[in-house]
Amino acid sequence: MKICVIGLGYIGLPTSAMFAAHGHNVLGVDKNPAVIEALNQGSIIIEEANLDSFVKDVVEKGTLRGAMEPEEADAFIIAVPTPITEEKKADMRYVQAATEMILPYIRKGNLVILESTSPVGTVEQLMLPILEKSGLKMGEELFVGHSPERVIPGQILYELVHNSRIAGGINAISAQKIAELYRSFVEGEIYQCDARTAELCKLTENTFRDINIAFANELAQICENLDIDVWQVIQLCNKHPRVNIHQPGPGVGGHCIAVDPWFIIEKQPDTAKLIHQARLINDYMPEYVAAHIYELLEDVEQPQVTILGLTYKPDVDDIRESPVLKLAALLEKNGVAVKRHDPFVKAYQGDVAEACAGSHLVLLGVHHQQYKALPAKEMLAAMAGKLFYDTRNFADEPSLTEAGFEVYSLGR
Ligand code: SAJ
C-alpha cells in the first residue's frame, strides 16, 4: 500500500520505517522541516538504538520519503503528540490539526488510523466529525480506528515487531482492515475491538503501572517510618509467585506514565479516585526527597548538592517530565545550590568527581549503569561534605561507605 504517516517522532518515524521495510511505500509528514530534511538525507534527529541505520536503508531503497504536506494514499496514520496542559487536561490540538490536514487527500476505501495515546472518545467525537466532511460514509467508504503503541524507548524496533497489538475500529470491518495492515510486520498477536476500547486499553496499561509505582512509593514512606528497609521488603514479597511490587523512586517521569492516567481522570473525575490519588503520590515524591535533603543539610551554611542523573529513566537521553529536574528546581528554590551531571545529557556530561566539587551531598537521581562504579575517593576529595543520598537503591553502598561517605537511601 501507499501509507502516509503524520508525525515523525518516537513512534511515527520507527513505524514509517517499519512499514517501508515490509513492502509498503511510505510518505512521512512532519511540520518540523529539520525532521523532513534529515529524513530525505537518510538520517534522523531522535535518539533510538539502531533506528538511524534502519531509516537510512529504507530511504536509500526509496520506500520511505519525507514531505511537509500529505499526499493521496491508501492509509493515513496519525502519530502526533498528545501532551497535557498545566491544568492536567488533554491537549488534542495536534490530533485535530493532523485530521484536518489529511481531509483533502481522503479517498473512498481509505483507512485512517490514530496511533497517538488519546482520551476515550477521540476517534468518534474529535476525528469522525472532521472526516465526515469528505462526504464519505464512515465505516463503509472510509475505515477509521485506533491502534495504540506500547513500545519502550530503547527497544522500539524489536517491540514494534514482537509486541502484541490492539486494532480498534469504529466498526468490525475497520478493525479488521487495521489488523491486516499491521500484520505486514507485527509478529505478535493482533486483537480486534472497537475504537473506544482500544483508547482505554492504552491508558489502562500505563495507569496500571503508575498505580503500582505509587504503591511502592507509599510503601517506601511507611517503611522509613517503621525503620524497615523497603527494598528488602519488596525483594522478599516479590518471591511470592503472584506478587510484583514495583520500585520506589524520586517520582514518575516521561510523557507516558505521568500523563496517561490524567486522560482517564479528566473523563471520570469523580470515579477515578484511586487513579487520581496514585498520580498525587507519585508527583509528591520530588518534594518528599527534597525534605530529606533539607534535613541532612540543616546545619550547613550555603548548602550545595550534586545530582547524578537527570533523565526520566536510566540509560536514555530523554529529560521530558523528569522528576529529578523537578527535585533540582525545588532545592534551588529553597536556597540549595545544585550542580548537575548526566552522561546522556550533553550539557551535563564530564567528570563525576569534578561535578561533585564543593558539594556537601551527592544525590543519585537516575540509576544510569555508569553510576554503578563511582570514583568515590576522588569525589570525596573534591567535596565539602561526605553525604550520599540514593533514591534508587542502586549505588554500591559498601564501597562508598568504605571510601568515607555517609550513605542514606530513600525507603530505608
Ligand atoms: N518508574 C519507577 N518505578 C518503577 C518503574 C518505573 O519509579 O518500578 C519510573 C521511571 O523511573 C520513569 C517512569 O516511571 O520515571 C516511567 O518509566 P517506564 O519504565 O514506565 O518507561 P516508559 O514511560 O518509557 O514506558 C512506558 C511503558 N508502559 C508500560 O510498561 C505499561 C511502555 O510499554 C509504553 O509504551 C510507554 O510507557 C508509552 O509510551 O506509553
Side-chain angles (χ1 to χ4, degrees), residues 150-153 202 205-206 209 213 246-247 251-253 256-257 312-313 392:
R150 47 178 56 151
V151 296
I152 195 120
K202 174 64 192 177
E205 291 161 4
N206 284 349
R209 189 162 173 81
I213 295 166
H246 288 28
Q247 299 292 303
V252 170
C256 317
I257 304 294
Y312 86 92
K313 71 175 191 179
R392 301 282 185 173

Side-chain angles (χ1 to χ4, degrees), residues 383-411:
M383 286 172 68
K386 56 180 182 173
L387 296 170
F388 191 99
Y389 191 85
D390 186 352
T391 68
R392 301 282 185 173
N393 191 43
F394 180 75
D396 177 356
E397 183 171 345
S399 76
L400 290 175
T401 310
E402 199 260 321
F405 273 107
E406 216 175 288
V407 182
Y408 293 83
S409 166
L410 173 66

